[in-house]
Amino acid sequence: VFAPYIVPVTLGILVALFWIQSHGTAKVGASFGPITCLWFVALATLGVMQIARHPSVLTALWPGHALAFLAADPTLGFLAMGSVFLVVTGAEALYADMGHFGRRPIRLAWFGLVLPSLLLNYFGQGALLLEDPTTIKNPFYLMAPDWFLLPLVGLATAATVIASQAVITGVYSITQQAIQLGYAPRMELLHTSGSQMGQIYMPGVNWLMLLGVIALVLAFKSSTNLAAAYGIAVTGTMIITSLFAYLVARRQWGWRKRLALPVFGALLVLDLAFLGANSTKILDGGWFPLVFGGAVYLLLTTWKAGRELLQDKLDTQALLLKDFIPAIETPDTINVPGTAVFMTPYPEHVPHALLHNLKHNKVLHEQVALVTVTVESVPRVPAAQRVVVERLTHRFYRVHIHFGFMDAPDVP
């Protein structure tokens, strides 16, 4: 009945979601937690209702069933992993969430609510299929009583919007970090909250995302068709995570190779197996995340390489500060009272603005501060280590300000 309206309603929700980004999400964000909690409680309740009718479905916990399935038809079992993998998608977001909230809140939420609710719901769907195999067309919604169908659709829509909001916010944060690390061009960034530093809005990124999502909805038309693209994207994410986790274990944690290789090698083999199972869907939509990821990688690396080439070029043409200061400190230099502040990305060079001021105004201030802002490859820099002031002469000072890539630089 609702099939003809799915795409138009989806597009309407998406436009509204992206439109409200500029107004901030603090007010509506207070409802995200309770709605998400209600969603998982509903999942668990629906599953328990079906499990109570067919408790034999719990025998699926025995690994022998999966092994027997693989032994009976290894090819089918391997290809089935591509569909089974969709059950674990979403868990990869825990890595990002852990960076924001820490391990304890993630563990409590995952093991206390999310994982039990999902397991109960999946077992409930299995119990329903044991009772009536024809419900395979949509076992999730067919688990619900008739009177609860529309409220469940509304709750699922709200949960999807909340998940989408989390992804949108994450894109803003990642783009900001890429800009600060020199991997992306500078873009307009607005703060939507006077109390929360992390609540930001990037108009250019926002509308590009909206156009991209609209194009995806019109091209794929259903979440089922998107499943292939999603599977490839998440398996790729997990493979990259395993590789970088190995590097962190070796370089940061001090693990020996004989310990790190077996641990992360086993994870990588599992990830590659899932990627192989999903690779059969590349032509059905899995090509999209590969093309999109390649385009983003090309943008990031090209911009980074371009900045380095430009800096190398400027290094060959710039006037060195160590040569400039003795030459300018003469009795003929006209001084004016006050302090001049010149921003420069290259602390060893004379800022072009300073040279232009000398050329056109023929004066130099009593005190000159040359300020360089550097974004370090760490999330945050403690306030005590943020500003370093170096006195070069009685007139010239060099000020070095350090931020982490998750800090919000504020240099008034």
Side-chain angles (χ1 to χ4, degrees):
V1 178
F2 299 106
Y5 306 103
I6 291 177
V7 171
V9 170
T10 300
L11 294 177
I13 292 173
L14 286 170
V15 170
L17 177 62
F18 282 95
W19 180 78
I20 66 170
Q21 297 303 312
S22 61
H23 302 281
T25 57
K27 293 181 179 178
V28 295
S31 63
F32 286 178
I35 292 174
T36 305
C37 184
L38 180 61
W39 166 247
F40 284 112
V41 170
L43 293 183
T45 303
L46 291 174
V48 169
M49 290 169 55
Q50 296 298 326
I51 293 172
R53 299 175 62 177
H54 287 277
S56 60
V57 72
L58 295 177
T59 59
L61 288 168
W62 173 244
H65 294 300
L67 295 175
F69 175 63
L70 287 171
D73 194 334
T75 302
L76 179 61
F78 178 73
L79 295 176
M81 290 175 63
S83 298
V84 172
F85 182 77
L86 295 176
V87 174
V88 301
T89 55
E92 80 285 351
L94 292 175
Y95 297 114
D97 292 336
M98 196 174 294
H100 288 286
F101 301 109
R103 286 183 293 182
R104 181 176 171 80
I106 296 299
R107 284 174 172 172
L108 289 175
W110 178 252
F111 291 110
L113 178 64
V114 179
L115 179 60
S117 300
L118 291 173
L119 284 176
L120 289 171
N121 190 267
Y122 284 129
F123 275 115
Q125 292 184 46
L128 179 65
L129 290 169
L130 288 176
E131 179 182 4
D132 184 4
T134 62
T135 57
I136 188 65
K137 56 186 179 182
N138 202 330
F140 174 71
Y141 284 110
L142 291 175
M143 278 197 301
D146 293 339
W147 62 268
F148 189 56
L149 181 58
L150 287 178
L152 183 60
V153 171
L155 188 58
T157 303
T160 304
V161 168
I162 292 170
S164 301
Q165 178 60 59
V167 173
I168 293 171
T169 303
V171 172
Y172 295 154
S173 298
I174 291 173
T175 304
Q176 179 192 24
Q177 293 168 22
I179 291 172
Q180 293 180 181
L181 289 171
Y183 281 96
R186 297 187 181 277
M187 305 177 196
E188 184 181 9
L189 187 149
L190 305 174
H191 288 267
T192 59
S193 172
S195 58
Q196 297 295 324
M197 182 179 66
Q199 291 190 17
I200 59 176
Y201 168 66
M202 305 184 73
V205 175
N206 187 70
W207 301 120
L208 280 174
M209 273 197 293
L210 175 60
L211 292 175
V213 172
I214 288 176
L216 280 177
V217 170
L218 294 177
F220 287 91
K221 293 186 173 62
S222 75
S223 58
T224 303
N225 295 335
L226 269 172
Y230 195 44
I232 291 290
V234 175
T235 51
T237 300
M238 290 186 169
I239 288 172
I240 293 171
T241 301
S242 295
L243 293 173
F244 275 100
Y246 171 78
L247 293 177
V248 170
R250 292 278 291 135
R251 298 179 182 179
Q252 300 295 119
W253 301 342
W255 286 24
R256 295 184 179 275
K257 187 178 291 187
R258 62 174 177 266
L259 173 61
L261 272 179
V263 172
F264 295 101
L267 292 173
L268 185 60
V269 168
L270 183 62
D271 293 336
L272 289 172
F274 279 120
L275 178 64
N278 278 281
S279 62
T280 58
K281 304 176 183 178
I282 290 178
L283 296 179
D284 297 326
W287 57 268
F288 175 77
L290 298 176
V291 171
F292 183 79
V296 172
Y297 176 79
L298 182 63
L299 169 67
L300 298 180
T301 54
T302 301
W303 185 263
K304 183 71 170 179
R307 282 175 58 91
E308 291 174 350
L309 289 172
L310 178 61
Q311 183 171 346
D312 292 342
K313 184 72 173 177
L314 291 174
D315 286 346
T316 61
Q317 300 175 349
L319 183 61
L320 292 176
L321 197 61
K322 65 179 182 178
D323 299 328
F324 171 78
I325 291 179
I328 201 63
E329 294 283 20
T330 65
D332 299 330
T333 303
I334 300 175
N335 299 312
V336 294
T339 301
V341 178
F342 295 96
M343 304 289 291
T344 174
Y346 312 113
E348 302 300 328
H349 298 161
V350 182
H352 290 290
L354 173 56
L355 294 176
H356 282 292
N357 183 57
L358 272 174
K359 178 180 178 181
H360 297 290
N361 298 323
K362 316 295 185 186
V363 297
L364 200 63
H365 286 75
E366 286 179 334
Q367 291 182 310
V368 178
L370 309 176
V371 181
T372 299
V373 177
T374 301
V375 178
E376 307 292 348
S377 299
V378 294
R380 301 191 188 281
V381 173
Q385 303 173 15
R386 179 152 295 166
V387 180
V388 178
V389 179
E390 179 186 359
R391 184 169 184 169
L392 303 177
T393 67
H394 71 284
R395 182 199 304 270
F396 284 92
Y397 294 82
R398 184 154 49 203
V399 182
H400 213 136
I401 306 177
H402 302 266
F403 289 100
F405 60 79
M406 290 185 68
D407 289 325
D410 183 16
V411 188

